[in-house]
Amino acid sequence: METTKINRNIIIKLCSILLLGGAFIYYFYQNNPSDNGTSFLRCPSNLLFKINCPGCGTQRAIHHLLHLEIAEAFRFNALFVLFSPLILVVFLLLIYNFIFNKSVKIPLLSNKYFLITLLVIIVLFGVLRNIPVEPFTILSP
């Protein structure tokens, strides 16, 4: 009886993730954030302060990655494209832990030096993409 309840919970969680994930992927595949009239959110830092945060262009990059347009995705947010394999692994691990009630961790993500390096890269990318001089302008979405 207990096994049946556990299996049912796993199936419900899995179906929920597939439904939400599928809807997310479908929406980003079908709708280009660059098009006028789409309901994508605009970056608050860009809207209010006219600066590009490290995440600016990520929605457009996701759209182009789903269409396998790697160069175009890279043009909108190179950092996201470079880190997308790591982001995908972390996201899949979070989903796995959620579905199966586990707490599997990636040791590298617990390493403070790795996390500090990651933070420095993100901040540096955010600063460099706002310098209005070649070659830094290519980092701007």
Side-chain angles (χ1 to χ4, degrees):
M1 186 73 161
E2 186 66 31
T3 307
T4 306
K5 185 176 180 182
I6 292 172
N7 288 341
R8 188 173 16 167
N9 287 340
I10 289 172
I11 290 171
I12 290 170
K13 287 178 181 181
L14 185 59
C15 289
S16 299
I17 295 293
L18 289 174
L19 183 65
L20 290 172
F24 174 84
I25 291 170
Y26 177 79
Y27 188 78
F28 270 89
Y29 185 84
Q30 291 295 327
N31 299 289
N32 187 345
S34 296
D35 293 343
N36 288 332
T38 58
S39 60
F40 288 93
L41 297 176
R42 186 151 176 224
C43 176
S45 67
N46 188 277
L47 182 65
L48 297 173
F49 306 114
K50 305 293 185 222
I51 61 170
N52 296 311
C53 75
C56 280
T58 299
Q59 293 180 108
R60 290 172 280 175
I62 290 171
H63 173 78
H64 290 290
L65 283 175
L66 290 173
H67 286 271
L68 302 177
E69 298 166 345
I70 309 301
E72 194 67 12
F74 202 81
R75 186 174 75 79
F76 285 109
N77 194 317
L79 189 65
F80 176 78
V81 174
L82 292 173
F83 284 152
S84 60
L86 177 63
I87 294 167
L88 185 61
V89 167
V90 169
F91 193 67
L92 290 174
L93 187 60
L94 287 171
I95 291 171
Y96 173 82
N97 286 337
F98 171 72
I99 291 173
F100 297 106
N101 292 324
K102 302 282 185 181
S103 61
V104 178
K105 296 179 183 174
I106 300 173
L108 183 62
L109 296 178
S110 298
N111 182 312
K112 70 178 182 180
Y113 298 111
F114 175 77
L115 295 175
I116 290 170
T117 303
L118 195 61
L119 179 65
V120 168
I121 290 169
I122 292 169
V123 169
L124 189 61
F125 179 72
V127 170
L128 293 177
R129 73 188 325 208
N130 285 290
I131 298 174
V133 177
E134 285 286 337
F136 305 114
T137 54
I138 63 172
L139 297 175
S140 180

